Amino acid sequence: MSSAVSWLQGPELFVDLRQPAARPGFCLVPGFAQLSIAAETWLAGQQGFAGSFHVAQNRATWQREIDYQPPGPTPDEGTLSWEGKTLVETGLHSPYLEHWHEAAQPNHPCAALRLRAAQTGQAAILVRTGPIFMLARGRAPGIHLAAPSLAACLAGAADATARQALLDCEISRGTASGWVINASTLPWREGQRLRLSLDRPGRLLIDGAVWEIIHEEGQIDAFTTA
């Protein structure tokens, strides 16, 4: 099954979003409460993760800190090689092959933040490279994915509230010109503007909520300018 895939790399931190084709319509869905079972099933088929990227020679490791799906049994590692202008990734612990094409756009500014919500303790990673940004925000602390897939977790959930908690992991991509989200694991976020401002040193406001800056890479003003 084909998917739309985005990988945005900061100096070290990264965000990755993978959404399957044949997406149902969400234009009349303002939030979790209006989701049908079919829509929940499609959402559960998405993939995405964020964390830190490390490479030694041609061996790459994606250390996942936030994951839309349950954690896998093996590390996310692969080898990287160039075929012309195409970056070829070959899995080390599972048989996969991916071809990556660099977007034809500037790659500066390049900055990233590791964040923690002041009130809830949720983790987040925010990356900007050139005109693109991506945000990954984890589930509430205490929400654990015990089954092999998110779909299986949903099937075993006790009620709609439990299913909502399982699906409430945001991985969004957008353009820094206006900070508008154009793709998200939470479809009703698309078209919305990500409101960012520095509250004080070490704290960032995202849509009015306070996030503590745990780690920063590059120039932090990349997140307060277009």
Side-chain angles (χ1 to χ4, degrees):
M1 181 171 61
S2 62
S3 299
V5 180
S6 298
W7 167 19
L8 190 65
Q9 182 64 52
E12 181 177 295
L13 297 173
F14 73 93
V15 181
D16 187 298
L17 172 63
R18 303 166 185 236
Q19 297 181 293
R23 169 174 156 158
F26 286 98
C27 60
L28 299 178
V29 178
F32 287 109
Q34 292 74 31
L35 286 173
S36 65
I37 296 299
E40 288 184 351
T41 300
W42 186 89
L43 291 177
Q46 300 177 108
Q47 297 183 55
F49 42 91
S52 57
F53 172 71
H54 308 277
V55 62
Q57 297 181 343
N58 71 328
R59 181 169 179 149
T61 301
W62 290 264
Q63 187 68 44
R64 301 186 183 190
E65 301 172 23
I66 298 169
D67 204 332
Y68 190 77
Q69 293 288 336
T74 59
D76 188 356
E77 295 182 322
T79 60
L80 299 176
S81 61
W82 287 99
E83 293 183 0
K85 294 184 178 181
T86 301
L87 182 63
V88 179
E89 177 187 342
T90 306
L92 284 175
H93 304 289
S94 57
Y96 72 84
L97 183 69
E98 296 179 345
H99 293 81
W100 294 95
H101 304 276
E102 185 176 6
Q105 58 196 20
N107 56 13
H108 293 283
C110 183
L113 300 173
R114 181 183 286 115
L115 304 163
R116 181 176 59 227
Q119 289 192 336
T120 65
Q122 286 170 285
I125 288 176
L126 179 61
V127 177
R128 177 182 178 180
T129 300
I132 305 300
F133 75 87
M134 291 187 73
L135 169 69
R137 189 260 307 153
R139 296 174 177 86
I143 303 297
H144 302 293
L145 305 184
S149 69
L150 180 52
C153 293
L154 285 183
D159 52 30
T161 300
R163 294 197 303 273
Q164 174 178 331
L166 291 169
L167 289 169
D168 191 13
C169 175
E170 178 181 357
I171 301 178
S172 294
R173 184 195 70 230
T175 54
S177 176
W179 295 92
V180 177
I181 295 170
N182 54 40
S184 181
T185 53
L186 307 179
W188 47 90
R189 290 280 280 158
E190 296 171 6
Q192 295 182 3
R193 181 173 176 264
L194 195 68
R195 295 179 291 114
L196 303 174
S197 63
L198 287 172
D199 179 41
R200 64 188 188 197
R203 300 208 319 184
L204 182 73
L205 294 181
I206 303 179
D207 296 334
V210 177
W211 291 78
E212 300 170 351
I213 299 173
I214 307 303
H215 170 74
E216 62 183 83
E217 303 170 359
Q219 296 297 316
I220 194 170
D221 61 3
F223 299 106
T224 56
T225 58

